[in-house]
Amino acid sequence: MKKLVALILALSMIFALAACGGSNQEGSTSNGLQSAAENFSDELTTDESRPISSETNRYANIRIALPSAANNLQPYSLRDAGIDPVIMNIYETLFEQYSVDDLRPRLATGYEDVDDLHCNVTLYDYIYDTAGNQIKASDVVFSYQLFIDSGYAYGDVADYVEKLEALDDYTVQFTWKQPVESLTAYGVIFCLPYIVSEASYKSRDFANDPVGSGPYKLKEYITGAYTVLEANDNYWQKPELIAGRAGRNVQTIRYDVVGDAAMRLIALQNGTASYCSLDDSTLGDFIAGGKYDGQYTLIRQYQTQNQYLAPNLSEESWMSNMDFRLAVYYAIDTEAMAIAMGENTYFPCTVDVAPAIPDYQKSWDEPRDDYYFKYDPALAREYLAKSGYDGSKIIVLSGSFAMKKAQAEMVKTFLDAIGINTELSILENAVLQEELADPKNWDINIGSQISDTTVAEKLFKEFSISYGKVEGLNYCFLNDPVLEQMLQECISREGYSVEKMTEILNYVTDNAYSYGTLNSVTYFAYSPCYASLVYTYGGGNLVPGACSYYMD
């Protein structure tokens, strides 16, 4: 509660400064994101003049502090934040994903769509795990069945995979339940399930003593404490064909479980961790003038979830009036919201999409003449007058998370300032979902949407009638055939394109169907030993073996 009050007080101070001339004129607010953020880079710049690690000249060891434990090393259990960063080094998938339509060989050399219901995947004919067992097509069939039986084969795997069959030693045929039209399906189906040898799996305890074909093998594992991996010197792949995330540029990787954020920071300082996330309370120590200035490489990593205002577009709500929606949007200063929420953690959206989603386009950040780039209370009041608003109560709906509540409070403050009669409704999630299904119960919802794969998927989930709570209407009680057709095309394998995503975003903005408000970013301090950083698709996990390191 104290934090929430502090946020509202911060927003009140921003209003006070604006009234006293401490901010720019109403038509445009100065950018409040400053100081610490300017000391961080989006990418690490490699100094090519220095000696750098390689497959044949490995960095000795790297230590990583994880916030949660790997309670087992099973490839077919829940892959949470403690397990997945570890086992991805041991096991391999058929392909590696680099974009929504770019799948590159890992265990498989390629795939061929035979017809609408069949796809053949061809394997390399020389894959071996660290126990010496060859992996063939029958092992792929075995592995996928384990994955499906585990209960974690959700989404596209469950929707499309009917069965697998080994046509010969190195060809696997996938039979689909229905034609694969989903844009994300092949990325999930081919790049998520790990492949193991049936012989190895049946002869040992994979939860504690796993064997995979990956570039690293298990050296030591203490449940709930640490895991030590060692480079697989007998890795099966030919040097010239090693996949981008299958590098062995470090000899030993140790993952320690360090649940407390303060202890992870101490681990970074004493050399028992090679990187650590930072928050507002610690950022100042690492930037120019701080006590650790120049000692670490500072990197920022954007998140794949953004916050947005969802309007109730049914006839039950004033938000169905476009002039009223524009009044609401122009009345909200997202830069001030970012400052109040945490000036180094949040920043305003330029579209209703998070910039960390892999196919986000930087061109979407270019200035436009719309509410994303213009906070203008005077213009908001003009739109409010045009709308014919009669002073009716406008309900701002929010979940009970502190961040959501704080945003709802700030939205209310902005709307009250231009004469909109607002009331907050803060609810636990189960009740919130019930309220959202009834258009009479809310006008504006503080929403959020995440996607680790593609902007097209994010837009589809937010705006398509496929995800609505009322048949034939989307989440905001809208049925716009033009928008729905664009969404259906863009989410398909044949219709996907950057141009189509841009068209949808422009259409949504032109019609004021949503207002993306805040994106978030996490800051990291890395040991200066890193020469390059490599992450899994979507930026989820650091791949330490594929990173490069300075050897001097």
Side-chain angles (χ1 to χ4, degrees):
M1 174 60 87
K2 288 183 179 179
K3 186 174 181 181
L4 179 60
V5 171
L7 290 173
I8 304 307
L9 287 175
L11 188 59
S12 299
M13 290 176 64
I14 291 167
F15 275 120
L17 284 171
C20 296
S23 176
N24 289 349
Q25 60 185 352
E26 278 195 332
S28 63
T29 305
S30 61
N31 193 334
L33 308 180
Q34 50 187 297
S35 59
E38 297 174 355
N39 291 264
F40 287 74
S41 302
D42 293 340
E43 298 178 358
L44 188 123
T45 302
T46 304
D47 183 353
E48 301 288 353
S49 68
R50 298 173 61 185
I52 296 173
S53 63
S54 66
E55 289 270 343
T56 56
N57 185 28
R58 295 178 189 142
Y59 194 73
N61 62 80
I62 205 76
R63 294 185 69 166
I64 294 173
L66 294 177
S68 54
N71 293 319
N72 69 78
L73 301 176
Q74 254 282 357
Y76 309 114
S77 63
L78 178 64
R79 285 157 57 173
D80 59 23
I83 295 175
D84 208 36
V86 177
I87 67 173
M88 67 178 185
N89 302 284
I90 299 171
Y91 307 115
E92 297 185 282
T93 56
L94 293 175
F95 295 89
E96 287 185 350
Q97 186 166 17
Y98 285 83
S99 70
V100 68
D101 54 358
D102 182 8
L103 309 184
R104 301 179 190 177
R106 186 72 180 247
L107 296 177
T109 63
Y111 66 85
E112 178 185 9
D113 290 317
V114 178
D115 55 42
D116 285 348
L117 294 177
H118 299 89
C119 179
N120 290 350
V121 174
T122 304
L123 304 178
Y124 287 102
D125 59 7
Y126 50 87
I127 306 168
Y128 289 85
D129 69 13
T130 54
N133 289 311
Q134 188 173 8
I135 292 177
K136 297 182 178 181
S138 59
D139 298 295
V140 175
V141 175
F142 173 76
S143 299
Y144 268 80
Q145 194 58 55
L146 286 175
F147 182 62
I148 292 169
D149 292 343
S150 72
Y152 296 107
Y154 46 82
D156 289 320
V157 176
D159 290 344
Y160 288 108
V161 178
E162 176 70 35
K163 66 175 182 177
L164 280 74
E165 180 182 359
L167 299 184
D168 55 42
D169 280 350
Y170 307 109
T171 307
V172 181
Q173 183 167 91
F174 286 75
T175 298
W176 310 129
K177 297 176 182 178
Q178 57 184 315
V180 179
E181 298 177 350
S182 168
L183 174 64
T184 61
Y186 276 17
V188 173
I189 294 168
F190 292 152
C191 303
L192 183 62
Y194 288 125
I195 308 303
V196 298
S197 157
E198 182 176 2
S200 293
Y201 194 84
K202 289 182 174 180
S203 65
R204 58 204 304 157
D205 174 17
F206 265 52
N208 298 289
D209 186 24
V211 165
S213 63
Y216 285 83
K217 58 184 180 180
L218 182 67
K219 182 178 181 180
E220 188 176 1
Y221 172 56
I222 303 297
T223 306
Y226 65 86
T227 307
V228 180
L229 306 178
E230 189 171 39
N232 176 10
D233 289 330
N234 296 314
Y235 184 57
W236 60 273
Q237 185 57 285
K238 299 173 182 177
E240 67 274 15
L241 294 176
I242 290 177
R245 300 191 188 110
R248 293 166 296 163
N249 294 328
V250 61
Q251 181 63 31
T252 303
I253 305 169
R254 176 173 171 136
Y255 292 94
D256 292 295
V257 180
V258 186
D260 183 70
M263 294 304 296
R264 290 197 295 275
L265 184 59
I266 292 172
L268 175 70
Q269 294 162 5
N270 65 27
T272 56
S274 59
Y275 71 90
C276 180
S277 62
L278 307 174
D279 58 27
D280 278 348
S281 67
T282 55
L283 281 175
D285 291 337
F286 289 83
I287 63 174
K291 59 183 176 181
Y292 304 119
D293 179 15
Q295 297 181 35
Y296 299 93
T297 302
L298 306 181
I299 298 292
R300 58 177 169 251
Q301 186 173 352
Y302 297 99
Q303 305 304 302
T304 56
Q305 182 181 55
N306 75 291
Q307 310 296 314
Y308 63 92
L309 300 187
N312 177 347
L313 297 172
S314 76
E315 293 182 356
E316 300 288 345
S317 172
W318 271 97
M319 291 297 284
S320 63
N321 182 312
M322 184 166 176
D323 287 326
F324 188 82
R325 293 199 300 277
L326 290 172
V328 168
Y329 298 167
Y330 278 110
I332 295 173
D333 186 346
T334 54
E335 290 183 350
M337 288 179 68
I339 294 171
M341 292 292 293
E343 65 176 345
N344 296 307
T345 305
Y346 293 92
F347 59 99
C349 296
T350 58
V351 289
D352 187 8
V353 174
I357 300 177
D359 53 359
Y360 186 94
Q361 303 298 305
K362 290 185 178 180
S363 61
W364 298 339
D365 296 331
E366 295 175 1
R368 306 180 304 273
D369 186 23
D370 60 41
Y371 48 85
Y372 280 99
F373 291 88
K374 190 176 183 180
Y375 159 57
D376 194 335
L379 182 58
R381 293 185 186 100
E382 290 180 18
Y383 277 116
L384 189 62
K386 285 175 60 178
S387 73
Y389 173 61
D390 61 4
S392 299
K393 181 171 61 181
I394 301 300
I395 298 175
V396 179
L397 193 61
S398 168
S400 58
F401 293 113
M403 179 183 67
K404 296 273 190 179
K405 290 194 292 184
Q407 290 181 70
E409 291 279 3
M410 287 184 276
V411 168
K412 174 177 170 54
T413 300
F414 284 120
L415 299 188
D416 285 347
I418 67 164
I420 296 178
N421 176 21
T422 56
E423 178 181 303
L424 297 183
S425 179
I426 310 297
L427 303 170
E428 296 296 328
N429 186 61
V431 180
L432 175 67
Q433 296 307 315
E434 293 180 5
E435 291 291 284
L436 286 171
D438 189 340
K440 296 179 181 179
N441 291 342
W442 62 281
D443 297 286
I444 301 170
N445 180 48
I446 308 297
S448 60
Q449 185 62 256
I450 188 170
S451 175
D452 296 322
T453 55
T454 170
V455 169
E457 179 189 46
K458 191 270 186 188
L459 295 172
F460 190 79
K461 288 181 177 179
E462 185 173 342
F463 296 109
S464 173
I465 61 175
S466 300
Y467 283 84
K469 294 181 178 296
V470 176
E471 186 175 355
L473 301 175
N474 76 358
Y475 166 69
C476 294
F477 307 106
L478 173 72
N479 185 350
D480 182 334
V482 174
L483 176 60
E484 186 65 26
Q485 182 177 350
M486 288 193 291
L487 291 167
Q488 294 289 348
E489 289 177 359
C490 196
I491 201 65
S492 69
R493 294 169 64 196
E494 295 77 17
Y496 168 83
S497 70
V498 170
E499 292 75 19
K500 180 61 69 175
M501 290 189 300
T502 303
E503 183 182 356
I504 293 171
L505 284 168
N506 289 339
Y507 187 85
V508 166
T509 301
D510 290 345
N511 286 279
Y513 284 159
S514 73
Y515 185 15
T517 53
L518 298 176
N519 292 306
S520 58
V521 65
T522 302
Y523 296 94
F524 291 90
Y526 281 85
S527 164
C529 68
Y530 285 96
S532 68
L533 301 172
V534 176
Y535 299 92
T536 53
Y537 179 63
N541 294 315
L542 185 75
V543 188
C547 298
S548 58
Y549 305 86
Y550 293 116
M551 300 296 287
D552 53 9

